[in-house]
Amino acid sequence: MPSPHLRPPLSRRGFLTASAGTALALAPFPARAAARPCPFGRYGSPAARLTPQTRYVAPSGQGDFTTVQAAVTAATGSGWTLVIAPGTYRETVAVDVTRTEMTWLGASGDPRDVVIVYDNAAGTSKPGGGTYGTTGSATTLVQADGFTARDLTFANDWLRADHPDITGTQAVAIKVQGDRSAFHHCHFLGHQDTLYADSMALGVFARQYFAHCYAEGDVDFVFGRATAVYEHCHFRTLTRTDLSSAPYGFVFAPSTAGANPRGYLVTQSRITSEAPDAHYKLARPWVPSSDPTAHPSLTVRDTHVGPGIDAVAPYTDMSSSFPWQEQRFAEYRNTGPGAEITVPENRPQLTAVQAESATREAYLGDWTPWKGGR
């Protein structure tokens, strides 16, 4: 769960309301204000770098760069650290496969203060023709191995209500494809397809770790084929005014490759909702047209499930050709009204013996990001 010293997560709606004020607060001071405080806190400054491979980003001009993408572009090779000052960075950012072992640090220690956001959707028209598609809609794309982020918000503030003519409403905040990708105390804000935890190819079982993170959305807002562990995380489902009846959406939509023994593991987390009770499903399996052999895998254990989840029928099909009952869905020792077992056949449970292998260690192998490694 989020650290107690942090302010409550700023919702997508709250973010939209606050953005204008944040931008004003970050406007550059007049030149005569020479003694501006350093925006990088305990992480040094361009005059006192943490390491020779540390670069600083600040919209005020006090860093090496004013945009995140400019800093990434300059950081060729492996092992760079970006310290990002408080601000709203309205841009798309891509970390390609060559920029391995990169770390991004939110300078204030509070993810609400450093927001990387854009507003493309799958159906948004691209310059030169065509549309972005789901992957192309991502505000941030991370393909490199060994990526670590701390104390940052990744957001996509595209809204259906503003674009009634667009039917491709997927709008990704971040797509992560690299192996050994770790996110600590980060927020992921969007509506449909917020957090895309994936891999570079079907035969690549990318390991990802999300600790003390917050993610919100409505339709399939945590999805993809990565081997991903979500520990001490908070997932929040949003209300909808465009639908008159349930279900409003689905929290998880794994698309685990059939050859991958493990998909998504959610442990010691919580699921809450701003929507009416029982208006959300916990998950549905995604079998993409590009991989009809996918065998989606999701285990939710030791997690508090709030009343927003339909306890009677928490799972549903995305396609009748791939019923959820034939996928790898399971729960173990969950609590809360959304975890109540009223129809046992609708809530597959692990045995105690099976639960022994449903751990972060089993999923992530020799990579131990909870110890500070990468």
Side-chain angles (χ1 to χ4, degrees), residues 28-41:
F29 290 103
R32 57 187 170 84
R36 290 178 292 180
C38 175
F40 304 111

Side-chain angles (χ1 to χ4, degrees), residues 258-300:
N260 190 349
R262 298 178 178 88
Y264 285 2
L265 172 65
V266 180
T267 180
Q268 300 180 75
S269 295
R270 59 184 172 127
I271 300 170
T272 65
S273 181
E274 66 176 36
D277 290 357
H279 271 55
Y280 273 85
K281 304 293 187 181
L282 185 60
R284 62 178 181 172
W286 177 32
V287 179
S289 58
S290 60
D291 181 22
T293 65
H295 195 192
S297 172
L298 167 70
T299 294
V300 181

Side-chain angles (χ1 to χ4, degrees), residues 87-99:
T88 298
Y89 297 83
R90 179 160 286 279
E91 57 177 308
T92 59
V93 185
V95 181
D96 68 29
V97 296
T98 68
R99 290 167 166 80

